[in-house]
Amino acid sequence: MNKDFLWGGATAANQYEGGYNKGGRGPNTFDCMGSGSFKNIRRISCKVDNKIVWIPRNSSLPNGAKGCIADGAYYPSHQATDFYNHYKEDIALFAELGFKCYRMSISWTRIFPKGDEEKPNEEGLLFYKNVFKELLKYNIEPIVTLNHFDMPLYLANSIEGWKSRKTIEYFEKYCKTVIKKYASYVKYWITFNEINFMFSWHTLGISSMDEQTRYQALHHVFIASARVVQWCHANYPQKKIGMMFSMPISYPEDCNPKNVLKTYQEMNNEFFFSDVQCRGYYPKYKLNEFIRKGIVINKENTDDTDLKKGVVDFISISYYHSGVVTIRENAETTGGNLIQLVKNPYLDASEWGWQIDPLGLRIALNQIYDRYQKPIFIVENGLGAVDEVVDIDGVKTVEDDYRIYYFKEHLKSLMDAIEYDGIDVIGYTAWGCIDIVSGGTGEMKKRYGFIHVDMDDHGAGSLKRTKKKSFDWYKAVIASNGECIR
Ligand code: BG6
């Protein structure tokens, strides 16, 4: 492994930071996501005719609804696991793990509380400056996502977020502000987290989830990203700016050509996002789909050039599981990252039904690299599990051998992809390196970390940090640059 390989961990503001109304921060759409799962799907709270209603996160809002935060309801992300007040302690633990890098996101509404202000919120800017200084004190390279599933609530309620072209301008202003402000601290930027999942979620800030509205909003996201990339290249050529998508690799159920074709088409549905951001134009298969469905994207004259000039420097991915594609109806399904997937009889699954497939990571890396020949950064991978704190000779810990096993197998696959297949992977950040709120279900009991945080699903807990068994294991992996798992 290259000695500069960026080993580290990853989190996101909306699931980790807390302090949702502290330091001048404004509310965002994620703040409206309540706890308590409805068929294991988080619900968004909104007001219609002054009454609070809850709706599953990926359905349209009722007519005239405005996102809101209901009094007395519990929202796990409001305090989350409180990085806001614990960042020094947590970064010291990351340093002890030997992190070379740490992926985090900036909360847009901590910088522009409503989204459309003239001037940024200085207290918010200072918070992240302090965080970056703390990271650099330990030589930890910050990898910063500009938007991880958050949209200012004000923009969602007033102009339907990304449905409006105005949002491009607001987002550009936010990005320019932070890229400029933190120019001496941050080299790696990522514009949008899991752009393929943003498309099917309330993170677009739109009220109606029909395809025409979603594709138009997505077009604005593409343009915003491309403009920020262009501006960053022009003003900070030494910086690297990337795209990020979730790579839910799929296998055909068998060699029936119909299943193979369907798999190819479903993979293209995901690659569509990276095709636009890595190649700089809409692929023909998507344009044909638009014609078939009667979808018309309103564009401005400069949009095509912006897309072309705004191609990214690297591709970052999340990888948790694989899926199966079949033309059979009513095939048995299992859980997945924001989606249900067809079961694969060859794989085990996590407690949430996510199918564990280390080899799938190697296949995914090969597919992505073949397609784009750009450096790849794995910025999310990990196992969500129920952990139990135990007392061993007076020392509290979590015996998470299952997590060690998951990481070990995935890292072996990653190293094979680099060393055997020749894939250019620049780094790996384990997801939820410290326990955070689950993004998909809002649970605390679904934990990913090397560090346990005392907090339960109802907001009770001391927030005390405890090292799990995987802490020392990952520390040894980083220290040996992966050699210890060979
Ligand atoms: C990705 C997201 O979809 O998967 C994260 O970028 C999320 O925000 C992660 O936390 C794992 O999903 P979950 O639902 O287990 O938290």
Side-chain angles (χ1 to χ4, degrees), residues 15 148-149 193-194 320 337 354 380 431 438-440 446 448:
Q15 291 165 252
H148 192 118
F149 295 159
N193 182 65
E194 289 186 339
Y320 293 95
N337 195 0
W354 296 20
E380 287 188 30
W431 178 247
S438 154
K446 189 181 192 190
Y448 285 85

